[in-house]
Structures are given as C-alpha cells and as structure tokens.
Amino acid sequence: MRKNFPLFAMLAVGVALALSACSEATEPVPPTFKTSLKSDEIKNSAFKSEFPLHYETYLRNNESEIMTEYGGSVAYNKHDNVNPLPEGYKHAQPYLKNLWLGYAFSYEYRAARGHTYAIKDILNIDRLNRYAEKADLPATCWNCKGAKMNEWVGKYGDEFWAKDFNEFREEVDMDENTIGCANCHDPATMELRLYSVPLQNHLKAEGKDFKTLPRNEQRALMCGQCHVEYYFTDKGQGPAKKPVFPWAQGKDPEEIYTYYKSHGDTTTPGFEGNFVDWVHPVSKTPMLKAQHPEYETWHNGVHGAAGVSCADCHMSYTRLDGKKKMSNHHWNSPLKDPDMKACRQCHTDKSPEYLKQRVIYTQDKVWEQLMTAQDISVKAHEAIRMANEFEGEKPANYDQLMIDAREMCRKGQFFWDLVSAENSVGFHNPTKALDTLAKSQQYSQKAVDIAIQAAAFTTAQALAGDIKTLVPPIMEHSRELQMNPEHMASHQWFKYLKLTPKTEKIWEGNKRLVPAPAAS
C-alpha cells in the first residue's frame, strides 16, 4: 500500500493542476504588428496589402440581400409591413411615423445595411435635409459613420459638433472613409484604440484607462463606441451638440431616463431642466428618441454577464486560408450562417436548427410585446390630444394632470424605443427587453388613464376602441411630401404639422445638384 503512495500523490497533484487550469482563465495575448502605415491613416484600402485576408472578410459587409427572421441586410422601410422586400418586410412596425411625427426620423427610417454602407446610407437618408443648404441636424451625426471623425475633431475640437452636417458632405469618400479598420485599430500597430470621443469621456469620468482594461472588456468597447444610446448636449450643459453617453447613473432604462430629467435646458412647465429631443406636435409632449442601445442591453444579459463579448458571436474565428486563425471582419448576425458556427463554439452539444429556433422563440415573444407597447404609445398621444382640446368643464387639477399624462407618455414611448431601436429583438438580454416593454405598456396606459381623467372622462368611450381604427398608421411621409398640400390633408395628425415650401433638391450623396450660393 505504501508503495503506491507516490503514485497517488502524483495523481492528486495532477488533478489539482488540471482543475486549476480549468478554473483560472488566462488573459489572452493578442498578436503584435508593426505595419508600414502611420497612426493617422484612415483610408480603408490602405489596410488591404497589410492584411489581405482580414480585408477580404471586411468587404463581405457589402452583402445586402440576406435576411433572417427579424432582420438582415436589406434596407427596407422599418414601418412598412404591407409591401414585400426590398421596400417593406413582414416584421415592420407600422406606427413609427406616427410616434416620431415632427422629428426627422418620421421622414425615413430604414433597416441598417452592413457597416461599409454607413456613409452612403446617411448621405441619402431623408432624415438629413437634402432640400436646403443646411441639413437641420448637426455635424454630430457623422460621429459613428467613419474614422474621418479623427481628422475633424482634431481640426475643430469641440466646435465641430454644432456645425451643420451638410458642411462636410463634399469632404468624404463614401468607400474609403466609411466605418473600417481605423475605427478600432491603431494603423501602425493594430492595437485596439478608441476613436469615440463620448466613450473616451465616459471612461475618463469613471477614472478608467482603456489601455489597462482587460482585453475582453476592450473588445466589447470597440462596439460600445457606437452601438449605444447617446444624446447631443444642450448649450447650457457643455459644448453644444457634443455627443454624450447618459450612463452616469447606470445603463438600465430607469437609470438613463432619470439622467435625462436633469441634463437639458427645456423650460416647458413640468419638464424644466429635462433633456428633450423634440416636442410631439399632436400631444405637445417633450419626447426622447432612443438610438441603438446594444451595448447597454447586452452588458448584463446572459451572455454579457458570462463574459461573452460582441466579437465572440459577431466576429467569430475563421481560417480563411485553411491555416491561420483570425477574427472574421464580416460583422454579421450568426443566424445568417446555416451551421450556426458562432453559437456552436460554446453550445457544442446542440444542433444548428435547435439553436436557431431558440433565438427565434425569444424574438417572437419580445416582438409580440413590442407591438403591443407601440400601439399603447400611439393611444397615449391621441388621448392627450383629446384632453388638450377638451373644451368642457375641466378638473381643478387639469394642468397637473396634463403634465403627468405627458410624463407617462414620454417615458412609455422611450422605454418602447429602447427595445425597438436595439438590433437583436431582445435576444441580447431577453429579461431586460421584456421587463422594459412591460413597463412601457404600464407607463403609456397610465398616460391614457390620466388624460381621460383630464378630459372629465368624456373621451373614455372613444379611446376604448381599436387604436388602428381611431388613428391609422401613417404609411407615407417625407420631406418632399410635406411640401404637398394634398398629402398634408391625407391624415388627421398632419394638421399639427406645417406645410413646408416647395423647394428643389440640393444634395445627392456627397455631391451638389445646384451651384453653391455666392459668398456674402
């Protein structure tokens, strides 16, 4: 028995070492490079000769035809659930133009194509005014469209943000300057780096140094430069129109909403000091427009909390030449791969079809609640409109009731929008998505109930009906159509908008259609 003791001891040590190796994850060491490029290089094609295989996968972002159940690469109108692709799609939200009426998003909102189309698509979207010298939106809108931002911010500093978007149209090459290598890498060394000013400022405020963060956190923050909620600073809150991430109190919906209550310059009674994107013309509600909060949604979801980074799923490893392991720079949905390779890196015991159906199961449930929340948000605006125009004997606390109704309308729609604008249909964090939509429905219904009370309950019967009968979805609306009196008489809510003067188009992409006005 004693003769076997050394053998048992060695086995015990071996098992202990094996268990230790399994329980202690080592920090990955990325490869090191010294390229022929300078750190200020921003042209995408400059990287082709240095990294031909990576660049080959990057060009695959030009794919614009493959769809998944709830998304994909076709730039369809996200409100059009009537027409087939490429203009509409079965999973579209018909009330988007209603909910964003009076704001630039109501003119046109399409599904995003690949990152390589970022500049082409923003230059041709109707949200930016192409019928005037000025776009009606600030230069801040360039922030997540390419590494040209490095040059502009370096040249103008914080004065850049409040300049007009159209001022820079003719300076960009739509292929060379779109989102690419220099947005995430130092061209000289290929080390990960931040180009995003708002993310740099957020980390600084938290006392963090990007260079010393764990590699996995750095990888996630590459996507967190743009796939986030943000807003443009009001004059009294800092440099005008500078982008800021509203994360000072946290990244969950309630925390972000609370942040917005004290970071604006509005003087609207009941909303003093709130940040406001626009005032809805029908309900006169000071509104918030959510962007695309993938990072905030993912970070405390099942995968985010477990340390699974964005790149693990959306840039999974490949061996393009059959030898060298590399990150796939085709930023893509794992659902487009019939083999579901990205998911099966971890879920090795599951079939591709099983994994795909689990994703769709979650998305089905979230989509159902998203559509319900959308409908109640529309009803909230209509209920407040009715109460605002009520001419009978009003309750003694009418003014406060209207403030309260608008507060709930603002909050309910913002919570809906945080899920609507997020690009996973809830899959990045199903629990948060469903919780957010449940609260959206509750807040919007409170808005309806309070508005009915403000109208002395005279509107209750009308509002008990189907909202699609009471307020039909706006299926067509654009800057050009708003110049047409016949169009402006085609929907009951259009009377709350101004008919705009007939003008010719000045811009097409990054080119002028008419000569520039003479300098004064």
Side-chain angles (χ1 to χ4, degrees), residues 215-485:
R215 174 72 176 178
N216 213 40
E217 190 171 351
Q218 290 181 339
R219 294 168 74 222
L221 285 172
M222 289 298 99
C223 304
Q225 297 187 95
C226 292
H227 287 266
V228 293
E229 162 64 356
Y230 59 87
Y231 72 106
F232 301 165
T233 312
D234 285 342
K235 285 183 179 179
Q237 300 289 327
K241 303 303 179 184
K242 185 174 184 177
V244 175
F245 296 170
W247 296 348
Q249 298 178 36
K251 299 182 181 71
D252 287 336
E254 198 71 46
E255 295 163 331
I256 293 173
Y257 187 80
T258 300
Y259 174 94
Y260 280 136
K261 290 179 72 66
S262 60
H263 285 79
D265 62 5
T266 186
T267 57
T268 301
F271 296 90
E272 293 87 349
N274 279 219
F275 175 78
V276 174
D277 277 304
W278 91 107
V279 176
H280 198 288
V282 173
S283 66
K284 308 298 186 290
T285 300
M287 301 300 298
L288 293 168
K289 173 70 190 81
Q291 309 309 319
H292 25 63
E294 283 82 44
Y295 185 85
E296 297 94 321
T297 303
W298 156 87
H299 87 102
N300 56 357
V302 172
H303 292 89
V308 179
S309 184
C310 315
D312 292 324
C313 302
H314 298 284
M315 296 177 65
S316 58
Y317 290 121
T318 186
R319 297 183 190 274
L320 207 62
D321 59 358
K323 302 174 184 177
K324 189 176 182 181
K325 178 181 174 183
M326 54 176 266
S327 293
N328 190 337
H329 282 65
H330 181 193
W331 305 303
N332 202 10
S333 168
L335 292 170
K336 287 185 179 180
D337 174 14
D339 294 327
M340 298 287 285
K341 294 186 188 73
C343 303
R344 293 172 70 202
Q345 294 175 106
C346 297
H347 301 286
T348 56
D349 61 330
K350 298 295 188 290
S351 70
E353 185 60 24
Y354 172 86
L355 293 168
K356 179 181 178 181
Q357 291 306 318
R358 290 309 302 170
V359 175
I360 294 175
Y361 175 83
T362 294
Q363 292 178 324
D364 284 345
K365 300 303 181 186
V366 172
W367 183 261
E368 181 181 352
Q369 296 308 313
L370 181 71
M371 297 296 279
T372 299
Q374 175 192 236
D375 288 358
I376 305 176
S377 285
V378 175
K379 184 173 285 191
H381 285 289
E382 180 66 5
I384 295 169
R385 181 199 69 78
M386 289 179 168
N388 193 53
E389 298 174 7
F390 174 60
E391 295 181 350
E393 185 177 351
K394 298 174 181 177
N397 60 341
Y398 173 84
D399 290 342
Q400 186 59 51
L401 288 171
M402 293 299 289
I403 289 172
D404 293 345
R406 289 181 174 122
E407 171 77 25
M408 289 295 98
C409 178
R410 165 184 163 98
K411 193 171 187 178
Q413 181 166 322
F414 183 60
F415 275 48
W416 157 80
D417 206 2
L418 284 169
V419 180
S420 173
E422 202 272 337
N423 282 299
S424 73
V425 195
F427 185 74
H428 285 146
N429 193 336
T431 302
K432 179 184 280 190
L434 289 170
D435 179 68
T436 302
L437 290 172
K439 289 176 178 175
S440 167
Q441 294 171 27
Q442 292 164 16
Y443 296 140
S444 294
Q445 187 58 52
K446 283 183 181 179
V448 174
D449 295 344
I450 296 169
I452 288 173
Q453 184 180 349
F457 300 96
T458 58
T459 59
Q461 184 174 352
L463 289 165
D466 182 2
I467 187 59
K468 290 181 175 62
T469 301
L470 191 62
V471 181
I474 297 171
M475 299 308 295
E476 293 187 7
H477 188 56
S478 66
R479 289 185 185 273
E480 186 175 20
L481 285 172
Q482 197 167 334
M483 304 174 195
N484 184 338

